[in-house]
Amino acid sequence: MGPGGACWRGGGAGARRWLSSRASAPRVCVVGSGPAGFYTAQHLLKHHDLAQVDIYEKLPVPFGLVRFGVAPDHPEVKSYGAEDNRILGIPGENLPGVYSARAFVGWYNGLPENRDLNPDLSCETALILGHGNVALDIARILLSPLDLLRKTDITDCSLAALACSKVKRVWLAGRRGPLQVAFTIKELREMINLPGTQPVLNPADFTGLENAVKDAPRPRKRLTELMIKTALQKPGEMAAQAAAARQWGLKFQRSPQEVLPTADGRRARGVRMALTRLEGSGESAKAIPTGDVEELECGLVLSSIGYRSLPLDPAVPFDTQRGIIPNSMGRVEGAPGLYCSGWVKRGPTGVIITTMNDSFDTAQSVLEDLRGGMLDVSVSREGFGAVGSILRSRGVRPVSFSDWEKIDAAEVARGKAAGKPREKIVDPQEMLQLIGH
């Protein structure tokens, strides 16, 4: 499980937790040190004086996608989890030049598994498929002035690649219309005001929408009004657009049909898009192909259509269609004593506040079941004492939190020397050598 979820016996956050107890001292094991795991552990410890919680993480560093998830210039909102991405399911999506948002974000954030992605940024036009905050994050990173990125904890290799990037135009395409975009006004405003970059929105896409959003919830109304205002502005009216060498824009009601190869078949040269019409309105509107198509030329394609969780273990129930563990208030269906939280509980939606509240709800279910005698806490288990013995018998040396603090100090020191908050170590072997493993 990624940091976006956890699942356990006697606990629940998006990894696995087994709870045992000496009648009054429940022992909880959390697998996954992302926000879902930490917030559930926090709630349990706060509301059960005798609870003991062990948190396990597959990497040598904690915090999951709080560390690796969103953009390096947004340290206050890093909060995306789940271990896989949704595939497009169209011809050509495996061509060189096509990347998942998850891999691309992992690359510039220093996620070890993505450190060798080496995306080709030699084209002038990039297409991002998706209208969410992650899509805007990627567009912003591709177009941001280097001076802004140098002050963040973006990895050195990513910064070097972006310094050589030829990308100067980014399109963000979605299947539905302006009233269905999933990004928020803060991220949109930041993109609109990005220095040296001009937003390109077609006024025709917003015809009649001012009336349509009159009775919409305030966040949706404000977001739509900002898009309309931006679409109607003349080039150069905003300070950020002065002498803009770069552009970005939103394309609506376009669904990808095929990634088109170059003549030699070696890489992507564009995407064929089906034009759609909307059936229904608001959040439930569906995109229906009209039969018309268009081709958009681009050498870089980034799929940002959502993340998905993966099955944890054959013994743990999993809904492959929805990408979640079937549950009721975090209680895993058909598995008494097993709980889940985060994206593996509810699907890949929301940011850190959503995950926090969701994790508290799951922890509350655990506490209620403890108090109601629903959990078998009659057998005492050793927790990490037993796990540590198993690891030693297999020749595995776990990384402790104090070991992590050494890695943390080294990263901060390297960052300070470079004028950054930190310089992330992206090679797990280097992390282990640093702590003497």
Side-chain angles (χ1 to χ4, degrees):
M1 279 308 113
C7 140
W8 54 53
R9 290 208 183 276
R16 191 188 286 176
R17 310 179 177 197
W18 292 265
L19 181 145
S20 64
S21 157
R22 285 183 296 275
S24 57
R27 191 124 198 184
V28 181
C29 165
V30 181
V31 179
S33 67
F38 265 100
Y39 279 128
T40 312
Q42 176 195 17
H43 193 82
L44 288 170
L45 291 169
K46 182 177 179 181
H47 296 283
H48 197 301
D49 292 341
L50 299 177
Q52 298 179 51
V53 180
D54 297 326
I55 300 180
Y56 295 87
E57 167 60 48
K58 66 180 180 181
L59 290 173
V61 291
F63 311 133
L65 295 186
V66 167
R67 174 181 167 100
F68 298 120
V70 192
D73 57 346
H74 278 194
E76 77 285 0
V77 293
K78 291 189 175 187
S79 159
Y80 293 91
E83 282 201 295
D84 202 4
N85 52 275
R86 292 176 179 163
I87 63 169
L88 292 166
I90 61 174
E93 74 173 298
N94 294 319
L95 282 169
V98 183
Y99 307 93
S100 73
R102 186 183 187 280
F104 195 77
V105 169
W107 168 70
Y108 64 61
N109 267 328
L111 185 62
E113 67 188 70
N114 300 129
R115 68 184 187 274
D116 298 322
L117 187 70
N118 192 27
D120 186 344
L121 306 179
S122 62
C123 63
E124 290 192 353
T125 302
L127 172 65
I128 303 173
L129 299 170
H131 278 167
N133 280 341
V134 174
L136 281 184
D137 281 344
I138 293 172
R140 196 177 63 255
I141 294 298
L142 285 171
L143 297 176
S144 281
L146 287 175
D147 285 347
L148 294 182
L149 294 179
R150 285 193 184 101
K151 299 171 185 175
T152 73
D153 67 356
I154 192 170
T155 61
D156 264 355
C157 68
S158 305
L159 192 62
L162 289 165
C164 300
S165 170
K166 299 291 192 293
V167 175
K168 63 181 183 181
R169 190 180 304 107
V170 177
W171 298 111
L172 297 94
R175 294 178 299 111
R176 301 193 294 171
L179 297 181
Q180 289 80 35
V181 295
F183 50 73
T184 49
I185 194 166
K186 176 182 180 292
E187 280 68 25
L188 176 63
R189 188 180 290 116
E190 189 173 3
M191 195 70 206
I192 290 169
N193 293 327
L194 192 64
T197 307
Q198 178 186 350
V200 180
L201 276 67
N202 185 352
D205 289 333
F206 302 92
T207 303
L209 291 193
E210 283 176 318
N211 288 329
V213 294
K214 276 184 179 177
D215 299 322
R218 188 167 181 267
R220 174 66 66 184
K221 185 170 183 283
R222 291 177 62 231
L223 178 63
T224 306
E225 287 172 347
L226 179 57
M227 286 190 283
I228 294 171
K229 177 184 174 185
T230 305
L232 296 176
Q233 274 177 332
K234 296 173 183 175
E237 282 187 353
M238 302 178 73
Q241 298 171 5
R246 299 180 172 190
Q247 291 182 331
W248 68 274
L250 301 171
K251 290 186 176 292
F252 300 102
Q253 293 180 230
R254 285 164 170 82
S255 180
Q257 278 192 328
E258 180 181 0
V259 179
L260 304 170
T262 52
D264 59 12
R266 291 189 175 181
R267 58 169 295 108
R269 67 164 177 85
V271 176
R272 179 178 294 119
M273 315 282 283
L275 275 59
T276 67
R277 59 181 174 81
L278 297 185
E279 277 191 2
S281 59
E283 304 294 331
S284 61
K286 292 185 178 181
I288 309 297
T290 63
D292 294 329
V293 298
E294 70 174 21
E295 292 185 4
L296 196 152
E297 295 293 319
C298 56
L300 175 64
V301 181
L302 293 144
S303 169
S304 184
I305 59 170
Y307 291 57
R308 63 187 294 271
S309 296
L310 296 174
L312 180 64
D313 183 273
V316 179
F318 192 77
D319 183 333
T320 53
Q321 280 197 319
R322 298 167 64 199
I324 64 168
I325 292 174
N327 71 92
S328 174
M329 293 296 289
R331 297 176 178 92
V332 177
E333 293 178 6
L338 190 64
Y339 302 80
C340 62
S341 176
W343 282 11
V344 79
K345 170 185 173 184
R346 69 180 188 275
T349 58
V351 291
I352 197 162
I353 296 298
T354 325
T355 296
M356 180 182 73
N357 291 327
D358 172 84
S359 300
F360 289 169
D361 288 344
T362 292
Q364 198 58 37
S365 292
V366 178
L367 293 169
E368 288 172 7
D369 291 352
L370 276 170
R371 291 168 187 149
M374 304 296 291
L375 299 173
D376 179 9
V377 293
S378 59
V379 180
S380 175
R381 291 177 184 153
E382 298 177 49
F384 182 70
V387 174
S389 297
I390 295 170
L391 292 175
R392 283 192 295 275
S393 72
R394 296 177 180 176
V396 176
R397 295 178 63 187
V399 175
S400 67
F401 196 81
S402 58
D403 289 334
W404 147 245
E405 289 176 325
K406 295 175 187 174
I407 297 171
D408 180 45
E411 290 185 341
V412 171
R414 294 181 188 187
K416 187 176 181 181
K420 301 167 63 177
R422 74 171 59 238
E423 182 60 52
K424 289 177 187 168
I425 299 169
V426 297
D427 184 351
Q429 289 305 313
E430 186 180 349
M431 295 177 189
L432 296 178
Q433 289 170 5
L434 185 68
I435 58 177
H437 278 220

